[in-house]
Amino acid sequence: MSRGRYPYDQRYMGGVLRRGYVSTVPEPRSSGRGPENYRMTPHGRSSGRRGPENNGLTPERRFSRWRGLENYGLTCCVNALLQSFIATSELKDLLDRWDSSSVREDALDNVPVHLKGVLGAIRDPSCRAPHKDFLRCLDRQQIQLNVQHDADEVFLAVLNFIQQQMDDKALALEIQSLYRLSVELHHQCVECSSNQPLPGSSYLLSLPLHIRHQSSRNTLKDCLASFFELQKLSGIDNCFCDQCKTRTPFTHGHRILSLPTILCVQLQRFRYSDSGWMQKLDCSVEFQESLDFQDICSQDVFSKDFQKNEGTKYSLFAVIVHSGTAMFGHYTAFVRATTGSSWFYADDNHVGPVSWETVRETYGGRSSRTAYMLLYRREPTQTQGGGEGEEQEGERQEGERQEEEILEGEKLEREKLERENQGG
């Protein structure tokens, strides 16, 4: 069947130019020789491989740990996000609790139904295209194929679809709560120091952090401190103070009410220049594998209603990477196994193990391949006596041992295959 294609208007979406075509047939197709069909290794050189199918491993070993996702036409953004969802075991556990068979009408357009299917099929070697139905479903929800998208906006859209389309609203709320950072607005008069009441609290599912493009070196700590820094409202921005009975200067900012299980950080690398053109900021932003809000932020950042026994330590487990410019780009992902500490690099259907040093190359400053979204998992707090902490440490060490055994086994199999090819 031929595909009718009609010009689509060019627009910006979260800093990445959406430039493509409206498809009259919502059927994924191979990207062919399109702009995102290149395969790059973590070091920027062409890998010359088509992905995990050519690594000489048996199907059982090939899909035992991580699996690549085929690009069906500018789908690298969704592919990278799916790798981060796959690494979020908490999300899969909640979706597994959902009886999706209850969704009968409009099941083809139900995003959480297909997301649950992807997370279940990704480990099944007999399923050759685990995410194709998910892509079709997004296409029908106006996240169109053959169109460039912004990873952060697609991430938020998927979470919104879960809220809207899951019939189990309590479970949908649990899924949203995984990512929910609750904050309250701080509004204080400079003259009399009285706090002015503001309606309710709000929450963020993705924490947008400003990057200082004038600086050649930013750190995640700097970006977080800038987000929570109090802003002074003065002059024409003066606010009315109930106690002073007049308009006075105010300080305004956010206070943390509660921290999420999964902290999603968006590094705002796209912005308009003074001349009105969208540009990408490739300046360096250093981030670490572990962070503690208590060390990064001052105590003033936390609301008086913040639970003191709530954990504030996080471990990095996924990095969504953008390569290219604001006008054209490609998304890939670094993900860490739930058990163990091994990192993997997923570039569409090519997946391979990498070191933390390779992940750090996405700080930016020297190349256009830069970290755009960071996902951190909150570390569990130890119970009295340390029983839970000791058990989790044992599981972590066992996971690392298993990862090392698998990597060593795959290395031996590759060496054996190379010797056989040379001998042939």
Side-chain angles (χ1 to χ4, degrees), residues 269 280 282 321-325 330 364-371:
R269 291 191 174 275
K280 179 184 175 184
D282 292 324
V321 177
H322 182 271
S323 304
T325 67
H330 179 61
R366 296 183 179 180
S367 70
S368 63
R369 197 174 68 121
T370 51

Side-chain angles (χ1 to χ4, degrees), residues 37 62 96 178 215 236 243 248 253 285 337 350-351 358 366 374 378 386 424:
N37 195 43
R62 189 164 62 231
D96 285 343
L178 280 177
S215 173
I236 61 173
Q243 187 164 318
T248 61
V285 180
H350 170 66
V351 176
T358 303
R366 296 183 179 180
L374 309 174
R378 186 165 60 186

Side-chain angles (χ1 to χ4, degrees), residues 371-388:
Y372 181 53
M373 293 174 63
L374 309 174
L375 283 94
Y376 285 85
R377 173 179 286 109
R378 186 165 60 186
E379 297 179 1
T381 56
Q382 291 190 2
T383 58
Q384 287 186 349
E388 183 179 346

